[in-house]
Amino acid sequence: LSVAAEHSVLSQRSDDASLGGRFASYAGWQASSGLVGQVDASWRDALFVTGGLRVEHDAGMAATGGLVSLPMVGGALLHQFGLVTTKLRASYGRSIRPSGSAVRASWLAREAIVQGTLAPEEQSGIEMGVDASIGHSWTIRATRFDQTAYNLIQSVAVTSSLMPGPGDGRLLYALQNVGEIGNRGWELE
């Protein structure tokens, strides 16, 4: 059984040139705190199980009230056939990345182009595989993974009637949680 607590603070600062031509700079702090609990268990050096939970608080995650839980679980089954050792393994996990960064903060400072509260970017998925080793010299591994990253933050073109311009509105770019990427496949090693 493992239990941990941590707190980190990040100072971010940009100069005018690093914000992609936007004539603004950003300086600010981002803080994150977390509590982690993890249990590792084994039985007869053949079955191994791990499970854990991280509860994280970050002011950059306003859409979730600043609090998020990140579970993980995994297991492996070993078997010996003479000189050959095989291992079946599987795991699941979830992670996040808060929406705050120096570049994004330069966007968020302009309320006219903020479309609600941004949720943190998230990734979750499974991985499973088999390993076969001959002694300590040769190993072959095959892994199947199926993961999805979602709530990815991207700039989206929007029309605003709040900012006067030619026509009915002015085209602006706003940060929104609209992206999703699937990462599925096999890895042989």
Side-chain angles (χ1 to χ4, degrees):
L1 174 66
S2 301
V3 178
E6 61 87 16
H7 179 74
S8 62
V9 178
L10 172 67
S11 173
Q12 301 180 92
R13 188 160 75 192
S14 66
D15 59 21
D16 294 339
S18 68
L19 293 175
R22 301 178 69 96
F23 297 103
S25 61
Y26 171 78
W29 293 87
Q30 182 176 342
S32 175
S33 299
L35 293 173
V36 179
Q38 182 172 320
V39 174
D40 297 311
S42 65
W43 182 68
R44 295 189 177 190
D45 288 331
L47 178 63
F48 301 86
V49 178
T50 298
L53 180 68
R54 174 181 171 83
V55 178
E56 183 170 324
H57 181 270
D58 191 310
M61 300 184 299
T64 63
L67 198 61
V68 67
S69 61
L70 307 169
M72 62 81 71
V73 64
L77 181 62
L78 268 63
H79 189 72
Q80 192 88 23
F81 299 99
L83 288 177
V84 177
T85 303
T86 59
K87 181 192 319 180
L88 294 173
R89 54 188 164 71
S91 63
Y92 165 82
R94 180 171 170 244
S95 65
I96 57 120
R97 180 169 59 181
S99 58
S101 73
V103 172
R104 289 182 182 156
S106 72
W107 285 78
L108 297 174
R110 301 181 61 189
E111 292 184 27
I113 59 172
V114 174
Q115 301 289 305
T117 305
L118 291 173
E121 295 178 320
E122 300 182 45
Q123 181 170 330
S124 65
I126 61 168
E127 168 177 310
M128 60 187 91
V130 61
D131 303 352
S133 300
I134 301 173
H136 296 288
S137 301
W138 300 93
T139 301
I140 185 167
R141 292 184 180 97
T143 303
R144 168 72 179 156
F145 52 91
D146 188 353
Q147 301 164 348
T148 303
Y150 49 98
N151 281 340
L152 300 179
I153 298 169
Q154 298 178 344
S155 59
V156 176
V158 295
T159 303
S160 174
S161 59
L162 298 175
M163 305 204 49
D168 293 330
R170 182 171 174 203
L171 185 63
L172 299 172
Y173 291 88
L175 294 179
Q176 296 180 5
N177 292 102
V178 295
E180 183 171 308
I181 296 173
N183 185 21
R184 296 170 185 83
W186 288 90
E187 183 177 280
L188 299 174
E189 181 181 352

